Each structure stands twice: as structure tokens, then as C-alpha cells.
Amino acid sequence: MLSAVIALVSASCSSNNCPLENTVLCNYYFYDMDGTPITYTEPITITTLMPGTQTLYKYRKLGYTTVTLDHPDSTYIADGYSETTETARRDTILVNQSSTRAYVQIPMSHFNPADTLVFKYTNISRNDTIVVSKKSYAHVELPECGTHYFHQLIQIKSTDAAIDHIDISNPLVNYEGKENVKIYFNGLAE
């Protein structure tokens, strides 16, 4: 009897009830100005602007490649390199030179009230900036599954280098992977 109770309790504590697809990404789908889905063929890089700055350490030596690190390293000084420091933004590249895409999936910050994305195109010189205002909240499916953050999109704005306009199609960003944002391109970067 005791072994049956232990088996029942241990079976109820397994993580089999946790969702397999538990990545929370905001899905941006691409359209032309008329609302027809398109595949963006040119390479595009998407960067998120992070708050704050970081110190970078550059090590230079004549005839050698410059080395950039996010921490000091005295072994380079001992090898004859000169060290300089500079302050840089903490931006992160989320999509790097990707092409032939009908949509992109972008992670969202958990604690910032807005995320800022920069779309850099290879065939036009100007970039587009998208600002997504949102509310984030913790979501627990089951205690053994851990905590994930879901997001409620409130407002979205963009510049107009290659984007004609932008709309929120589904404000809830969760595990489901539905289209959240529609980006309508003006034809310059397609």
C-alpha cells in the first residue's frame, strides 16, 4: 500500500505536464503596402537597444590584429600590447544578415516597459527604428515547469525608411507563436 502511494505521488510530480514549446517570442510578419504577405529577400540585421553602457578594453600591437574584450587582461600587456578603454552601448544583435524571411521571431525584455529595435537594411542607407511598449508579467504553468514571462503589447511605433506602417495584430505574446505584429514595407527595401 505504501509503495502504491509513493508511486502515485512521484508520478504526479513529473514534468510531463510542462509545455514542450515554452519559448516566448514576439512574431513580426512582413507585408507589402497593400497587405499581401511577402518574403523579405534582402539581408536584414535587427538589433535591440539595451539601456546602459559597458566598458570595452582594446589591446593593440603593431603588426597584430586588435583584440577587444569586455574585461581587462594583463597577459596582453605582458606581451607588449597597449591597452585603451572605451565606453560602448550594450546593444545586442538579434538577427544577423538574414534573408528570404516572411517573418522574424524576436525575444522581449522582461523588465523594460518598452523595447527598441533597429532594422538595418543592406540595400538602403537609412535604418528603421521600432519602439514596442508593453507590459510583462510572470506566467507559471506548473511549479515544476518554472517561470516564463508573457507580454501584453500596448503600442507600437516605427520610423519610415522602409516601413510604410506597422500594426499590432495579436497583443498577447506567449507560447502559442501567433502573429503579433504586422510590418508593412513601402517597397524600398523589398
Side-chain angles (χ1 to χ4, degrees), residues 144-163:
E144 62 267 17
C145 298
T147 303
H148 292 85
Y149 277 85
F150 284 3
H151 311 280
Q152 182 77 29
L153 304 181
I154 299 169
Q155 181 183 28
I156 192 162
K157 307 183 280 190
S158 73
T159 56
D160 61 358
I163 296 175

Side-chain angles (χ1 to χ4, degrees), residues 61-177:
K61 184 176 179 180
L62 189 60
Y64 292 87
T65 303
T66 300
V67 177
T68 304
L69 302 173
D70 60 358
H71 59 280
D73 189 341
S74 61
T75 58
Y76 284 105
I77 302 290
D79 288 340
Y81 283 78
S82 65
E83 177 187 80
T84 57
T85 60
E86 65 180 45
T87 302
R89 293 187 53 90
R90 295 178 345 120
D91 302 340
T92 301
I93 294 176
L94 301 173
V95 176
N96 191 17
Q97 294 293 311
S98 182
S99 61
T100 318
R101 302 285 296 265
Y103 66 95
V104 290
Q105 297 179 304
I106 305 290
M108 302 190 85
S109 65
H110 298 168
F111 304 110
N112 297 329
D115 288 347
T116 303
L117 303 173
V118 176
F119 280 55
K120 182 178 181 181
Y121 311 102
T122 56
N123 58 339
I124 62 172
S125 60
R126 290 181 34 217
N127 299 335
D128 272 315
T129 301
I130 297 174
V131 178
V132 183
S133 300
K134 63 183 174 54
K135 289 183 181 176
S136 300
Y137 55 94
H139 173 78
V140 179
E141 197 82 26
L142 293 168
E144 62 267 17
C145 298
T147 303
H148 292 85
Y149 277 85
F150 284 3
H151 311 280
Q152 182 77 29
L153 304 181
I154 299 169
Q155 181 183 28
I156 192 162
K157 307 183 280 190
S158 73
T159 56
D160 61 358
I163 296 175
D164 183 67
H165 64 284
I166 191 166
D167 291 326
I168 297 173
S169 55
N170 177 16
L172 182 58
V173 180
N174 57 18
Y175 301 142
E176 293 180 16

